C-alpha cells in the first residue's frame, strides 16, 4: 500500500531487517545506522534523515548518522540538552511534526554545515529505551512542504520503540570499544 508517496515495502521484509539488526546483531555500528535509516525511509519519503545520540555524560546530542553523507559533521554537530527541536523532543519525550517552514519554529536551531536546515518539513521522534530514558532522536526533513500522516508518525514511533534497546546497546558497545582503544594507547 502506498501512502503519501511512501515506497511500498512488505511487512515481512521490514521484520527481517529488524530481526537482523536487533537479534542477529550482524552489523557494524555504521551499517546498523544505515539499515535503520533505510527502514525509516521506506515508511516516509524524506530528503534528509539525521540521527542524534544522547550522551548522558556530557548531556549533549551528537549527530551520529545521516541519509546524506556528512563525514565532517558526524560526531561534530552537537546540541545541548533541551536545545533545538531535537532537544525539545527529547526533553518532552514527544514527537514533533511540522508541515512547512520548520526553520521558523522558535525551537529550531540551525547549523550552517547542514543544508537540511533550510528544508520545509520536519519530523522529530525521540528514541526512548525500556527504562524510559531518551537515548537519541531521529529527524526527518523534506525540501518542500510535506504533511506527515498519522499512520506514518505512528509507524516510525513504533519502529523506534522496537529498535531503541538495540540502538542503546550498539552505542554502548561503541563507547566501550572507544574507551578500550584509549586505554591501549596509554
Amino acid at each position: 500500500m502506498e501512502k503519501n508517496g511512501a515506497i511500498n515495502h512488505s511487512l515481512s521484509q521490514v521484520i527481517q531487517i529488524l530481526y537482523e539488526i536487533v537479534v542477529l546483531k550482524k552489523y557494524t555500528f555504521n551499517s546498523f545506522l544505515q539499515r535503520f535509516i533505510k527502514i525509516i525511509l521506506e515508511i516516509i519519503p524524506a530528503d534528509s534523515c539525521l540521527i542524534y545520540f544522547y550522551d548522558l555524560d556530557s548531556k549533549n546530542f551528537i549527530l551520529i548518522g545521516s541519509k546524506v553523507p556528512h563525514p565532517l559533521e558526524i560526531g561534530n554537530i552537537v546540541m545541548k540538552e533541551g536545545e533545538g527541536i531535537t532537544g525539545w523532543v527529547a526533553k518532552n519525550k514527544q514527537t514533533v511534526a511540522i508541515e512547512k517552514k520548520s526553520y521558523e519554529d522558535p525551537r529550531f536551531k540551525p547549523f550552517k554545515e547542514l543544508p537540511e536546515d533550510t528544508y520545509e518539513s520536519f519530523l522529530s521522534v525521540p528514541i526512548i529505551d525500556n527504562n524510559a530514558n531518551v537515548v537519541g532522536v531521529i529527524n526527518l526533513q523534506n525540501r518542500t512542504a510535506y504533511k506527515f500522516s498519522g499512520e506514518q508518525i505512528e509507524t516510525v514511533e513504533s519502529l523506534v520503540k522496537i529498535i531503541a534497546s538495540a540502538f542503546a546497546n550498539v552505542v554502548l558497545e561503541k563507547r566501550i570499544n572507544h574507551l578500550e582503544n584509549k586505554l591501549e594507547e596509554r
Side-chain angles (χ1 to χ4, degrees), residues 175-186:
R175 286 186 77 195
I176 289 169
N177 290 337
H178 178 71
L179 291 173
E180 286 174 349
N181 289 338
K182 283 203 175 253
L183 283 174
E184 285 178 13
E185 289 173 6
R186 287 184 184 172

Side-chain angles (χ1 to χ4, degrees), residues 17-32:
I17 293 168
L18 287 172
Y19 178 76
E20 290 171 1
I21 290 172
V22 177
V23 178
L24 299 180
K25 297 180 185 177
K26 71 180 209 176
Y27 295 103
T28 64
F29 180 72
N30 289 332
S31 62
F32 165 85

Side-chain angles (χ1 to χ4, degrees), residues 117-129:
D117 282 353
T118 61
Y119 292 4
E120 287 285 321
S121 65
F122 196 101
L123 175 66
S124 188
V125 179
I127 303 170
I128 301 171
D129 68 13

Side-chain angles (χ1 to χ4, degrees), residues 18 42 58 66 69 85 99 103 111 131 154 171 179-181:
L18 287 172
E42 292 291 337
S58 67
S66 175
I85 295 172
E99 184 177 343
Y103 44 81
F111 288 94
N131 299 318
E154 287 175 19
V171 170
L179 291 173
E180 286 174 349
N181 289 338

Side-chain angles (χ1 to χ4, degrees), residues 22-151:
V22 177
V23 178
L24 299 180
K25 297 180 185 177
K26 71 180 209 176
Y27 295 103
T28 64
F29 180 72
N30 289 332
S31 62
F32 165 85
L33 289 176
Q34 290 308 309
R35 291 294 283 190
F36 183 55
I37 289 169
K38 182 178 179 183
I39 291 169
I40 297 300
L41 294 176
E42 292 291 337
I43 297 157
I44 298 178
D47 296 315
S48 169
C49 179
L50 302 172
I51 300 177
Y52 291 86
F53 162 67
Y54 180 65
D55 185 337
L56 190 57
D57 296 332
S58 67
K59 305 278 191 237
N60 288 325
F61 287 91
I62 303 165
L63 179 65
I64 60 167
S66 175
K67 172 187 174 183
V68 177
H70 288 294
L72 299 177
E73 288 76 19
I74 298 292
N76 293 316
I77 298 282
V78 177
M79 282 187 278
K80 296 176 187 151
E81 194 172 53
E83 192 173 38
I85 295 172
T86 300
W88 187 94
V89 162
K91 181 180 178 183
N92 293 282
K93 297 181 181 177
Q94 291 180 12
T95 297
V96 167
I98 302 170
E99 184 177 343
K100 59 186 174 183
K101 297 185 181 180
S102 60
Y103 44 81
E104 292 182 359
D105 187 286
R107 299 167 290 188
F108 191 82
K109 176 180 168 101
F111 288 94
K112 66 180 185 292
E113 303 90 348
L114 295 175
E116 292 90 336
D117 282 353
T118 61
Y119 292 4
E120 287 285 321
S121 65
F122 196 101
L123 175 66
S124 188
V125 179
I127 303 170
I128 301 171
D129 68 13
N130 292 335
N131 299 318
N133 298 314
V134 173
V135 294
V137 174
I138 184 166
N139 294 335
L140 297 159
Q141 295 165 276
N142 281 302
R143 287 180 180 92
T144 58
Y146 183 86
K147 181 163 177 49
F148 301 99
S149 73
E151 182 180 5

